[in-house]
Amino acid sequence: MSNLDLFLIISILVSALAFCFAAWLYRWVKAQPSSNERVEEIGSYIRKGAKTFLRKEYLVLAKFCGAAAILIFIFLPAPIWKGGSILQNLTIVIAYLCGTIFSAFAGKIGIAVATMANIKTAESARSGGIRPSFLSAFRGGAVMGMAVVGSSLLGVTLVMAITHDSTALLGFSFGASSLALFAKAGGGIFTKTADISADLVGKVELGIPEDDPRNPAVIADNVGDNVGDVAGMGADLFDSNVASMASALVMAIALGNKMGVDYSAMVFCYAALGLLSSIFGVMAARMGKKDDPTMALNMSTYLTTGIFAVLTAGATYIFRFDWRIWGATAIGLLVGVIIGITSDYFTNDDKKPVRNVAKASESGPAFTILSGISYGFLSVLPSMVGIGISAMISYNLCASISPEDPIAGMFGISMAAVGMLSIVGMIISNDAYGPIADNARGLVEMGDLGDEALKITDSLDSAGNTVKAVTKGFAIAAAGLTIISLLGAFMSEVNEAAGSVVLNGFDIINPLVFFGMMVGAAIPAVFSAMLMLGVDRNAQRMVAEIHRQFREIKGLKEGKPGVVPEYDKCIDIATDGALKELIPAGFFSIIVTIAVGFIGGVNAIGGYLAGNIVSGLLLALFMSNSGGLWDNAKKYIEAGGNGGKGSDAHKSAVIGDTVGDPFKDTAGPSINTQITVVSLVASLMASLFLSFSLF
């Protein structure tokens, strides 16, 4: 049995173990006590709203994916009327559809457990204290983590085992990415529509608490946490994990064919050990004596990192893998942790940037915005430098494997991306913990479970916000390395289609490359603007609806007994608006990519991808960190700093947070998915761009 066959089997077994562990975690969370009828009632509203949105969104996306599948069958990897193999085109179509199905499954699982875990977390805060409440939220998030990474590893393994075709792997990855792009965009528009509307009318205009049941948008806000931060982020990280493995395998196959070495086995070995490490890390997650949830989440991440480093070093020694490739993987993992720490510095309310923005808020909202934007831009440098250094070191480490072939160095970068995403199971667990804790806090307030339970869930929610900023920085950085490696996959696909080496790199002095780079650099900005304008239009409609209800429903503003707002109206506005706005931005990115390819050919696409990567990473990091900073500055003031709730500083900070919301939860995290999608479109259409172009 070859090493590749062995690790294909091991990958399937580890994926099965992850699913079994997820099932155990689900049963554990479900077994936690919950008996409060009011909390159960509100929780059912949230569950129903989230499931309704997801069903409608998936119906819309099914139509898009069906149309895309037909076009893929006709054109990719070569037009069927030009002698293309019908069987190969059909294989890519099936792989594409499987990618969309696996991604949708991950989001569905996340919604199911998150809308149950929020109730258990709220009830545990009242009856058991902070430790069982923390475990309910974290283990609920871990179900999502195990399901997402188990699905991605299993999907890539099955495609590889059945087809042994690198293009089919890219098709599977494109399916995951295209669904993730629209799921993240749609979920982000929904959640920020409700969040901004609830904050502006509730906190700023009326001065009522964040989760006051009188606010008609409050249920939509909680639904949004699930469809945006659970289903959307799960699809996003599913896409990143699949894309990193697919790009690494494309180059592993190309390099292995030249060197006579099976490098694919290393990719599956390290990916399987990463998931196994995440299982151990989730099992070990506990709160220490200080009852600090942030420390518990961070320590479990560091433990997972250490376990992965040891396991992969041992496997490299036992199976006599190349230590240079292990070094590239370790560099990616290390830089991922460093970028996470950087994001923590700029978004944690214990650090100077957040407190300085809170202080600036005393002087008015203009200073909140100016200071937040400034720190957001400052936060970009360490992460961009970190991504650049990891790419440079990993490239040079592996370039010596085959000095005359640039694919060897690019394979090193792809393995750094695999390393950075190796602990993605733990990262998703931490990320999904955040919206569960946030929902639990709302349920405690709306269910009137007491001040002690509110204090506990406030602490859990604050930790979720801090860790969420770290995980977003981590996800964006990992996507950055993945996308750089996809540039290598594009070169590999072009050279394979040409039957010779026609691309060794891209010279920016070449006018075609420069043209592509200018267009590519503009796309993330336009894409972000389209998403945020969607939030803006939708939020204005919802604010008008909230005003109408407070004006027309007698006794609602005063909170008279038996007077209940029309929550469904706000949920419908958020749902319909998100579904209307989610297609144009993603479709625009794909159409422009195809247009640049047919205008300038493969050289223009190379420049286009390079410009898209650099501009996209900068904007994504800036928006994620500045948004997280504004959010935690608001929460720091609400906890009593700089005048506390109801002060002028608080009102300024709420305005800053409403600007930051679409930054960090709509546009920012969607950009990395957009870059991945256009990179995969370029790789899949490489032979077409090589054969047909205007210049």
Side-chain angles (χ1 to χ4, degrees), residues 569-583:
K569 294 287 179 65
C570 287
I571 294 173
D572 289 342
I573 287 172
T575 299
D576 295 342
L579 296 178
K580 180 182 176 182
E581 303 284 357
L582 69 87
I583 293 292

Side-chain angles (χ1 to χ4, degrees), residues 336-502:
V337 173
I338 291 171
I339 288 171
I341 292 170
T342 301
S343 296
D344 178 70
Y345 174 77
F346 282 97
T347 58
N348 194 324
D349 59 12
D350 288 334
K351 306 295 191 299
K352 282 186 177 180
V354 169
R355 297 196 174 191
N356 287 346
V357 171
K359 177 66 176 174
S361 298
E362 294 178 3
S363 301
F367 297 98
T368 308
I369 303 299
L370 283 171
S371 57
I373 285 176
S374 300
Y375 281 116
F377 277 127
L378 285 173
S379 73
V380 166
L381 179 62
S383 297
M384 294 288 279
V385 170
I387 294 168
I389 288 174
S390 62
M392 181 173 60
I393 294 175
S394 57
Y395 183 96
N396 286 313
L397 267 175
C398 295
S400 57
I401 295 173
S402 179
E404 72 284 353
D405 189 351
I407 294 298
M410 296 301 288
F411 176 58
I413 295 175
S414 71
M415 289 307 293
V418 169
M420 196 177 280
L421 281 163
S422 59
I423 60 168
V424 72
M426 176 58 71
I427 296 300
I428 295 173
S429 301
N430 286 353
D431 200 82
Y433 158 91
I436 292 172
D438 191 3
N439 267 205
R441 188 219 174 273
L443 289 171
V444 166
E445 187 167 309
M446 287 185 279
D448 196 22
L449 298 186
D451 290 341
E452 184 60 29
L454 192 61
K455 182 180 177 183
I456 288 170
T457 50
D458 271 337
S459 174
L460 297 179
D461 184 26
S462 177
N465 277 317
T466 300
V467 173
K468 192 164 67 171
V470 174
T471 59
K472 281 179 180 170
F474 188 96
I476 292 166
L481 280 179
T482 299
I483 295 151
I484 295 168
S485 66
L486 281 171
L487 190 56
F490 169 71
M491 290 169 55
S492 176
E493 290 293 301
V494 169
N495 292 335
E496 184 178 340
S500 62
V501 178
V502 297

Side-chain angles (χ1 to χ4, degrees), residues 540-557:
Q540 289 188 44
R541 287 192 288 266
M542 188 176 289
V543 166
E545 171 60 22
I546 298 170
H547 285 156
R548 182 197 69 78
Q549 291 196 33
F550 277 123
R551 185 175 63 250
E552 296 181 4
I553 300 177
K554 294 182 179 179
L556 178 60
K557 190 179 293 186

Side-chain angles (χ1 to χ4, degrees), residues 183-209:
K184 188 62 195 164
I189 292 169
F190 184 109
T191 185
K192 292 306 109 180
T193 293
D195 196 358
I196 288 172
S197 304
D199 279 357
L200 284 178
V201 179
K203 289 183 179 180
V204 177
E205 292 184 19
L206 302 178
I208 61 178

Side-chain angles (χ1 to χ4, degrees), residues 600-612:
V602 293
N603 282 295
I605 282 290
Y608 174 86
L609 295 179
N612 199 264

Side-chain angles (χ1 to χ4, degrees), residues 489-566:
F490 169 71
M491 290 169 55
S492 176
E493 290 293 301
V494 169
N495 292 335
E496 184 178 340
S500 62
V501 178
V502 297
L503 283 183
N504 274 320
F506 303 100
D507 181 5
I508 63 169
I509 302 301
N510 182 328
L512 288 176
V513 175
F514 189 74
F515 156 73
M517 191 163 58
M518 291 296 99
V519 177
I523 296 304
V526 177
F527 175 78
S528 301
M530 292 176 75
L531 292 182
M532 289 192 287
L533 283 170
V535 172
D536 177 50
R537 286 189 290 266
N538 222 21
Q540 289 188 44
R541 287 192 288 266
M542 188 176 289
V543 166
E545 171 60 22
I546 298 170
H547 285 156
R548 182 197 69 78
Q549 291 196 33
F550 277 123
R551 185 175 63 250
E552 296 181 4
I553 300 177
K554 294 182 179 179
L556 178 60
K557 190 179 293 186
E558 296 78 15
K560 290 182 178 179
V563 179
V564 179
E566 296 172 351

